[in-house]
Amino acid sequence: MLIILLILAVALIVISTTKFKLHPFLALLFVALLFGLTAGVPLPKLIESINEGFGKTLGSIGLVIIIGVMIGAFLENTGGAVRLANGVLKLIGKKRVPEAMSLVGWLISIPVFGDSGFVILNSLNKALTKKAGLSLTVTTVCLATGLMATHTMVPPTPGPIATAAIVGADLGLVIAFGAVISLIALIPPIIFAKTYASKTWLDPAPDLGEGEFDKKLAVAPGFFHSIIPVLIPLLLIVLKSFNDLYSIIGEGGLKSGLDFVGTPIIALIIGLLIAFTLPKKLERDMLSTQGWVGKALLDSASIVMITGAGGVFGKVLQNAGLGDMIAPLLADYPMGIFLPFLISAALKTAQGSSTVAMITTASIITPLIPELGLDTEVSKALAVLAIGAGSAVVSHVSDSFFWLVTQMTGMTISMGYRIHAVATGILGVSCFILIYIAQMIWG
């Protein structure tokens, strides 16, 4: 009965968010409450589940999401994101525009939302594509999949952060594995772009030439200055995680210091303080409710609330005894790392939002982690990445990113399905294959 209720609950989340346009926060909260009532969770326990699920989830990750979005806002508004893009182009070379745009997207989407990253880089992509004499379909596939790779798999992007918090995975391990796996997984989409997408001609017709790009570049901070607000927090978090596992620096004051600065919230605060140095002059308006910080808070509020509601849903499922119910079935049909990927992919394809797919899947999977054999630190990190990989499969009409890509490039809906949707499917499957290999070696 609990399994049937779970299937109905997931279906209700999908239908309410897609057909009836209900905000995912309300959908997750109402469905969690309805599931608890119909599953027979005692009322005091249900109230406790709601409070604990919301409070504990946001207590561990809410500030991390908000500060991560703030860092992205400073990079976007100061031109730091454009500087990073230009630096990658210099490194890769303009003759290899597809590879360059893929790497640009991969880098930019670590601190900046995938949708925002596409808006920022679309004009540059068009200009370089025109200059290289390529079809816009080729570079758009590379840019979009590069953005989606880190958007779904590398913190401090909110989706992977929230998923790691719900699952209870080590953030440093998620970053380390996610960065390597997502980067390698871009190779198949690049091949797809060059061999298949290139056969469909789409004129770039850039609306922003390199002249305006150069204007933005002229006032942007330097490459090293632009990358350190992102790089320093990631390095600190990863170093702490690996030291916890392997005791690289032993005990004592040095370890205590690393434990402090490597905690995600402190590491990101350090990154934010560095980001404050990106503008040529830090002005009060930038930090006001109407400025960059105020807008970043508004942008992050929705993600924070959805994450909290996802925590409620997961806690209700846990207290309903779902793990004990499903354990015998999983013993007969061991799916391991496949299950989080498949659930996330189904949710992503059905309702469109990668973040909602990740948070909902994490809520479903968390009570089942021991039964799935994913209870080591590495396995939990890889489970988070499997959820992220599934949340890339596939981007189509239910996904706002699909409409952003097609409308800003002039793709028809048919082209969007044949090119963009297929490319995101290839990306997600490629990521999962690498995750499965990693699980066999290190899990």
Side-chain angles (χ1 to χ4, degrees), residues 101-107 109 140-151 186 189 427:
M101 293 315 300
S102 186
L103 190 55
V104 163
W106 180 89
L107 179 62
S109 199
T140 297
V141 163
C142 293
L143 175 59
T145 52
L147 289 164
M148 182 164 281
T150 45
H151 178 77
L186 290 177
L427 172 68

Side-chain angles (χ1 to χ4, degrees), residues 349-373:
T349 304
Q351 54 80 43
S353 169
S354 293
T355 303
V356 172
M358 283 188 272
I359 292 170
T360 306
T361 304
S363 303
I364 294 169
I365 288 298
T366 299
L368 311 177
I369 289 292
E371 287 76 18
L372 290 169

Side-chain angles (χ1 to χ4, degrees), residues 238-417:
V238 170
L239 282 172
K240 178 186 180 299
S241 296
F242 276 86
N243 187 60
D244 288 344
L245 283 175
Y246 303 114
S247 297
I248 301 168
I249 61 174
E251 300 294 330
L254 191 59
K255 180 183 183 299
S256 298
L258 181 59
D259 286 345
F260 178 71
V261 298
T263 303
I265 182 63
I266 301 300
L268 280 162
I269 287 174
I270 292 170
L272 181 61
L273 292 173
I274 298 171
F276 286 166
T277 69
L278 291 175
K280 290 188 175 179
K281 182 182 178 183
L282 185 64
E283 298 176 357
R284 290 181 183 178
D285 288 347
M286 297 174 184
L287 307 178
S288 70
T289 54
Q290 305 300 321
W292 300 352
V293 168
K295 187 177 183 305
L297 286 169
L298 290 175
D299 290 342
S300 61
S302 180
I303 300 296
V304 169
M305 292 300 101
I306 293 170
T307 302
V312 171
F313 186 42
K315 197 66 182 177
V316 171
L317 293 179
Q318 181 181 335
N319 287 338
L322 188 67
D324 295 335
M325 177 67 69
I326 292 181
L329 296 176
L330 293 177
D332 294 334
Y333 303 99
M335 298 186 71
I337 202 79
F338 282 93
L339 189 62
F341 172 77
L342 293 173
I343 294 175
S344 182
L347 284 170
K348 163 67 177 181
T349 304
Q351 54 80 43
S353 169
S354 293
T355 303
V356 172
M358 283 188 272
I359 292 170
T360 306
T361 304
S363 303
I364 294 169
I365 288 298
T366 299
L368 311 177
I369 289 292
E371 287 76 18
L372 290 169
L374 302 174
D375 48 355
T376 68
E377 288 302 320
V378 171
S379 291
K380 284 193 284 188
L382 292 174
V384 169
L385 298 180
I387 292 170
S391 74
V393 182
V394 294
S395 173
H396 65 115
V397 291
S398 62
D399 183 8
S400 62
F401 191 53
F402 175 88
W403 293 107
L404 188 69
V405 169
T406 54
Q407 296 305 302
M408 292 192 73
T409 60
M411 284 189 192
T412 63
I413 303 303
S414 173
M415 288 168 62
Y417 266 99

Side-chain angles (χ1 to χ4, degrees), residues 158-204:
I161 285 182
T163 305
I166 294 170
V167 172
D170 185 280
L171 203 57
L173 290 176
V174 174
I175 292 170
F177 278 106
V180 175
I181 288 171
S182 62
L183 189 58
I184 298 172
L186 290 177
I187 296 172
I190 292 172
I191 295 171
F192 169 78
K194 289 184 167 183
T195 57
Y196 178 79
S198 61
K199 295 178 182 178
T200 301
W201 177 256
L202 189 63
D203 193 339

